[in-house]
């Protein structure tokens, strides 16, 4: 008796019926996550990202490396929520209360000024162009305004200006008549090196100048 075919495909017909299955790669067309994608180097801008807060005869001028992206967006110094700068000023008595970043012009009322080593680019130190820091520009501003003290708000900024390793605290060198102090960075990315006591030491020195 012949076997009957009840609609089953034989081996030849199976080969005709089957269609190749295209497997999609798990990475095909995938968009890299923001944490993995490289960030573009911040461009130089013609105008300073933040204006200097300077005038002759100040007791103290703080100098950062460059404005952060948050500060550039807010048009205010040390504007990132994780930055301890404004809290440190209040805790050490350099200001009578904790100012909001947008209130930074009021620091002049307390004999305090602000500037940055890099004025024409914004971002973290790792993101900045290699030639972002204008050391001679900073030197000229300090010589012109002659504050009693210049305080770098990070060791990286001081070392970039000096061209050699420096320690925290009072420095053995000056810029003109201005004495120099190096502080631990208030940035949230530098929490491991944060030390409020050095900020208090500086505040005590500034109060002696009053």
């Amino acid at each position: 008796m012949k076997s009957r075919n009840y609609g089953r495909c034989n081996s030849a017909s199976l080969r005709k019926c089957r269609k190749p299955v295209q497997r999609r790669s798990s990475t095909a067309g995938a968009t890299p996550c923001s944490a993995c994608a490289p960030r573009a180097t911040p461009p130089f801008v013609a105008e300073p990202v933040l204006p200097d807060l300077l005038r002759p005869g100040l007791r103290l001028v703080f100098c950062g490396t460059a404005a952060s992206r948050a500060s550039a967006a807010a048009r205010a110094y040390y504007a990132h929520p994780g930055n301890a700068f404004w809290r440190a000023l209040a805790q050490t008595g350099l200001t009578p209360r904790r100012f909001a970043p947008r209130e930074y012009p009021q620091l002049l009322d307390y004999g305090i000024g602000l500037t940055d080593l890099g004025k024409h680019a914004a971002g973290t130190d790792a993101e900045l162009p290699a030639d972002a820091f204008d050391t001679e520009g900073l030197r000229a501003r300090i010589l012109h305004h002659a504050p009693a003290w210049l305080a770098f708000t990070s060791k990286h900024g001081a070392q970039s200006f000096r061209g050699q390793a420096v320690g925290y605290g009072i420095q053995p060198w000056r810029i003109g008549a201005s004495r120099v102090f190096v502080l631990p960075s208030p940035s949230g990315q530098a929490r491991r090196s944060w030390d409020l006591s050095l900020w208090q030491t500086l505040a005590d020195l500034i109060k002696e100048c009053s």
Side-chain angles (χ1 to χ4, degrees):
M1 181 182 293
K2 295 182 179 180
S3 62
R4 296 182 179 180
N5 187 342
Y6 292 98
R8 294 181 181 176
C9 294
N10 58 30
S11 60
S13 61
L14 275 173
R15 286 194 294 271
K16 293 180 181 179
C17 293
R18 287 176 179 167
K19 295 182 180 180
V21 177
Q22 295 182 350
R23 297 183 180 275
R24 295 187 63 184
S25 170
S26 60
T27 59
T31 301
C33 67
S34 58
C36 301
R39 303 190 73 173
T41 299
F44 276 99
V45 292
E47 295 297 321
V49 176
L50 294 175
D52 286 324
L53 187 69
L54 297 172
R55 72 182 182 197
L58 293 172
R59 297 186 299 160
L60 170 64
V61 170
F62 287 106
C63 179
T65 50
S68 67
R69 292 176 183 267
S71 291
R75 301 292 297 166
Y77 283 87
Y78 304 99
H80 193 284
N83 197 295
F85 178 82
W86 297 104
R87 182 172 69 250
L89 264 58
Q91 289 176 330
T92 58
L94 285 171
T95 56
R97 61 177 176 83
R98 181 174 176 176
F99 288 172
R102 67 178 181 277
E103 297 179 291
Y104 77 87
Q106 296 184 34
L107 288 182
L108 289 178
D109 296 338
Y110 303 94
I112 299 173
L114 298 169
T115 190
D116 284 313
L117 193 54
K119 298 297 298 179
H120 297 275
T124 65
D125 291 346
E127 295 171 338
L128 295 173
D131 56 351
F133 296 157
D134 181 8
T135 58
E136 291 308 310
L138 174 63
R139 188 188 308 277
R141 293 194 297 276
I142 298 305
L143 289 173
H144 176 72
H145 295 288
W149 286 88
L150 171 69
F152 287 95
T153 58
S154 73
K155 186 182 285 188
H156 177 61
Q159 291 178 161
S160 298
F161 176 82
R162 189 66 174 166
Q164 63 186 56
V166 301
Y168 289 120
I170 300 173
Q171 301 301 300
W173 45 277
R174 300 188 181 206
I175 303 176
S178 301
R179 302 190 69 183
V180 179
F181 198 100
V182 177
L183 293 162
S185 173
S187 170
Q189 295 182 337
R191 280 290 177 264
R192 295 178 66 179
S193 62
W194 176 245
D195 184 356
L196 183 64
S197 67
L198 284 165
W199 287 70
Q200 187 64 63
T201 298
L202 173 64
D204 293 341
L205 290 169
I206 299 306
K207 292 168 188 175
E208 293 175 3
C209 299
S210 301

